């Protein structure tokens, strides 16, 4: 699976959009980009995933560049409860869809 | 609906004691199942995965083992725990291309 690179930490003001970047320059054509988040002392929570097209659900939007070498997770109106570590992962539909978690981005939403 | 259970939620065990953590899923058949561990202040580490009954793949050599006795049951075991086995253990499974995680077991080895 492709290695992903994320900034270790970010701050965001409550009510503003949080834009979390992720680089995955070695991503292959069959690998999806997944985003998870982990709130302290809880298991990771699935947020969204995409292959080529931008995706949106009730939690977030995922913007994938045309060359697929990077993506951005957007939380449109961040709340204090969105404070968590956000993981970007690239994984293909093989080997049982294993996830390899990196360090993630620690997002701190501040009032 | 799909549900994933783990127990116990917390566990305190002395060094050298055995371990058995159980994970069961509901609402699906023949899922791919995974065990992850998160040590304090660190990221998630994949330990084992299973694509079917009796099929186990190990990602990290260690004193832990896993078994898949039933389609929707995944067990993590150890014969003798080490202090370094302390951590947060998560079971996960795949639904299509999405992975979902159980509530986790927090293990403290003393």
């Amino acid at each position: 699976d492709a290695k992903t690179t994320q900034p270790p930490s970010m701050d965001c003001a409550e009510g503003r959009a949080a834009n979390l970047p992720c680089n995955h320059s070695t991503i292959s054509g069959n690998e999806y980009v997944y985003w998870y988040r982990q709130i302290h002392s809880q298991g990771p929570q699935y947020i969204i995933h995409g292959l080529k097209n931008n995706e949106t659900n009730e939690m977030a939007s995922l913007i994938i560049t045309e060359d697929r070498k990077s993506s951005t997770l957007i939380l449109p109106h961040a709340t204090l409860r969105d404070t968590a570590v956000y993981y970007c992962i690239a994984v293909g539909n093989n080997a049982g869809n294993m996830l390899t978690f990196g360090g993630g981005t620690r997002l701190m939403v501040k009032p | 609906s799909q549900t994933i259970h783990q127990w116990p939620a917390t566990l305190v065990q002395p060094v050298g004691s055995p371990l058995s953590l159980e994970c069961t899923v509901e609402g699906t058949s023949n899922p791919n199942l995974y065990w992850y561990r998160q040590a304090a202040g660190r990221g998630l580490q994949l330990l084992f995965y299973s694509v079917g009954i009796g099929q186990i793949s190990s990602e990290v050599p260690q004193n832990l083992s896993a078994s898949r006795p039933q389609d929707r049951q995944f067990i993590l075991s150890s014969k003798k725990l080490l202090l370094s086995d302390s951590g947060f253990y998560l079971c996960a499974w795949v639904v299509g291309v999405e992975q979902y995680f159980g509530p986790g077991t927090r293990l403290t080895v003393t």
Side-chain angles (χ1 to χ4, degrees), chain A residues 3-73:
Chain A
K3 177 181 170 64
T4 61
T5 304
Q6 299 175 253
S9 63
M10 289 182 62
D11 290 343
C12 178
E14 187 179 18
R16 304 296 295 268
N19 298 302
L20 293 95
C22 179
N23 287 326
H24 31 80
S25 59
T26 62
I27 196 169
S28 62
N30 69 339
E31 288 181 320
Y32 289 78
V33 179
Y34 285 78
W35 282 85
Y36 289 80
R37 73 180 183 184
Q38 188 173 22
I39 297 170
H40 182 62
S41 297
Q42 298 181 25
Q45 177 190 23
Y46 166 83
I47 301 174
I48 199 168
H49 76 279
L51 185 63
K52 295 180 181 178
N53 300 321
N54 298 336
E55 303 287 345
T56 295
N57 62 20
E58 66 278 3
M59 290 184 67
S61 294
L62 174 61
I63 308 298
I64 303 174
T65 58
E66 191 170 348
D67 63 7
R68 301 206 330 120
K69 293 184 177 182
S70 65
S71 61
T72 300
L73 179 74

Side-chain angles (χ1 to χ4, degrees), chain A residues 32 34 36 38 40-46 49 87 91 93 95-103 106, chain B residues 32 34 36 38 42-46 49 51 59 88 90 94 96-104 106:
Chain A
Y32 289 78
Y34 285 78
Y36 289 80
Q38 188 173 22
H40 182 62
S41 297
Q42 298 181 25
Q45 177 190 23
Y46 166 83
H49 76 279
Y87 296 98
V91 59
N93 287 333
N97 285 13
M98 292 182 292
L99 300 183
T100 302
F101 287 82
R106 185 171 298 278
Chain B
N32 289 345
Y34 308 82
Y36 290 88
Q38 186 173 38
R42 301 181 65 181
L44 286 166
Q45 179 187 37
L46 177 65
Y49 73 94
V51 298
E59 289 298 303
F88 190 43
L90 289 156
V94 173
V97 294
E98 299 174 10
Q99 281 212 9
Y100 294 92
F101 289 81
R106 190 163 300 281

Side-chain angles (χ1 to χ4, degrees), chain B residues 1-3 24-33 50-53 68 70-73 93-96:
Chain B
S1 64
Q2 297 96 352
T3 308
T24 59
V25 298
E26 297 176 2
T28 186
S29 59
N30 196 30
N32 289 345
L33 298 174
S50 171
V51 298
I53 296 174
R68 179 94 174 257
Q70 299 181 42
D71 181 46
R72 287 172 283 181
Q73 184 184 33
W93 67 304
V94 173
V95 179

Side-chain angles (χ1 to χ4, degrees), chain B residues 30-87:
Chain B
N30 196 30
N32 289 345
L33 298 174
Y34 308 82
W35 277 111
Y36 290 88
R37 176 172 64 196
Q38 186 173 38
R42 301 181 65 181
L44 286 166
Q45 179 187 37
L46 177 65
L47 301 176
F48 301 95
Y49 73 94
S50 171
V51 298
I53 296 174
Q55 300 179 63
I56 307 294
S57 295
S58 174
E59 289 298 303
V60 181
Q62 59 216 327
N63 70 319
L64 300 172
S65 62
S67 61
R68 179 94 174 257
Q70 299 181 42
D71 181 46
R72 287 172 283 181
Q73 184 184 33
F74 202 22
I75 297 173
L76 183 70
S77 305
S78 174
K79 292 182 179 178
K80 290 184 178 181
L81 284 169
L82 306 173
L83 285 174
S84 58
D85 291 324
S86 292

